Amino acid sequence: WSGYAVSLLDSLGWTVPAEFANPPGEAGGIVNIPAILLVLLVTAVLVAGVKISSRVNAVVVAIKVFVVLLVIVAGLFYVKADNYRPFIPPSQPTDEVGGMRAPLMQVLFGVTPVNFGWLGVFAAIAIVFFAYIGFDIVATAAEEARHPQRDLPIGLIGSLVITAILYAAVSIVVVGMQHYSELSVGAPLADAFKAVGSPGFATVISIGAVAGLTTVVLILLLGQSRVFFAMSRDGLLPDWLSAVHPRFGTPYRSTIL
């Protein structure tokens, strides 16, 4: 989120110093102030109530889906067939890591991890898996749903199908726009449009990414606070964590924690 927020501010002519926009030890960073402000803001929204949170989420998701569709449609005009060759790049060995940081594949089978190639594809799957985290949060909000037996399966299965299609479409378009070796890590979609000479699209995408990743943080904090709430009520955590705010009706202590 911070990477896209800084990219957006840069497009608007406001440069955030690296020491205040990156985590410690990364690109001269000291403290990531945008990320801290985001968490504080989202926490306040969650404490204020589920209805407010759901309305904010609905508006922001609409913006996010619009921007994703914009990336797919607008990006098609900049796709170059040469960028797809080879479609699965040849594997490249990575630096071997020992101890607790060693990948599971290396520990179990003695195979040094690689970038790209078929092994790289499966290694990437393990990371992309985390991009789908969020659909499961629907289940943690079951007690706050009006018709959970009907709505939860629709929410879980529907969100998985829609996001799978959108992820695949965006990936295909962006890799066609810019060679995979040149894609940025911090803000790949926006920077891909900047690279093809369309900074206007980059600004819109940064707005959408900031909005979209805001909902990610909101949903994850919503789910985690409800997990703590349920564990506290069942006696697995101190009972003071299951206290509900007298005015807002939310598990405010676990949310703030």
Side-chain angles (χ1 to χ4, degrees):
W1 184 92
S2 182
Y4 272 103
V6 170
S7 177
L8 174 60
L9 291 173
D10 185 62
S11 299
L12 299 175
W14 300 334
T15 301
V16 180
E19 56 264 32
F20 300 127
N22 295 315
E26 182 179 309
I30 298 174
V31 59
N32 195 331
I33 291 178
I36 293 172
L37 294 176
L38 170 68
V39 173
L40 292 175
L41 175 64
V42 169
T43 300
V45 171
L46 288 173
V47 169
V50 171
K51 282 188 177 181
I52 293 176
S53 304
S54 64
R55 288 169 184 163
V56 170
N57 191 55
V59 171
V60 177
V61 165
I63 296 171
K64 173 168 61 173
V65 172
F66 168 76
V67 170
V68 168
L69 294 175
L70 176 68
V71 169
I72 296 169
V73 175
L76 284 173
F77 293 96
Y78 299 101
V79 167
K80 296 179 181 177
D82 290 343
N83 289 333
Y84 292 124
R85 290 192 284 265
F87 195 72
I88 299 179
S91 61
Q92 299 174 6
T94 60
D95 295 332
E96 189 166 343
V97 180
M100 293 296 292
R101 296 181 61 192
L104 188 61
M105 188 182 296
Q106 179 180 313
V107 174
L108 294 179
F109 307 110
V111 177
T112 303
V114 298
N115 287 328
F116 313 118
W118 279 109
L119 282 178
V121 169
F122 286 103
I125 288 171
I127 298 173
V128 173
F129 167 80
F130 290 100
Y132 284 89
I133 287 179
F135 80 94
D136 54 311
I137 304 300
V138 174
T140 67
E143 291 187 46
E144 294 156 281
R146 291 178 179 174
H147 306 289
Q149 290 86 351
R150 182 198 68 186
D151 295 343
L152 291 188
I154 294 173
L156 287 164
I157 298 170
S159 60
L160 270 178
V161 172
I162 293 169
T163 52
I165 294 171
L166 292 178
Y167 268 124
V170 168
S171 298
I172 290 172
V173 169
V174 173
V175 172
M177 290 175 59
Q178 189 175 21
H179 197 265
Y180 71 90
S181 62
E182 299 172 356
L183 286 171
S184 76
V185 176
L189 302 184
D191 290 346
F193 275 92
K194 287 180 181 178
V196 296
S198 296
F201 281 122
T203 301
V204 174
I205 289 165
S206 293
I207 293 171
V210 167
L213 291 172
T214 300
T215 65
V216 173
V217 177
L218 187 145
I219 293 301
L220 290 177
L221 290 181
L222 169 75
Q224 186 60 66
S225 62
R226 270 54 178 179
V227 169
F228 285 155
F229 173 79
M231 291 175 68
S232 171
R233 193 177 52 188
D234 293 343
L236 299 172
L237 288 174
D239 57 3
W240 60 268
L241 275 175
S242 59
V244 175
H245 196 282
R247 178 183 173 189
F248 301 124
T250 55
Y252 67 106
R253 289 178 178 172
S254 61
T255 302
I256 292 171
L257 179 65

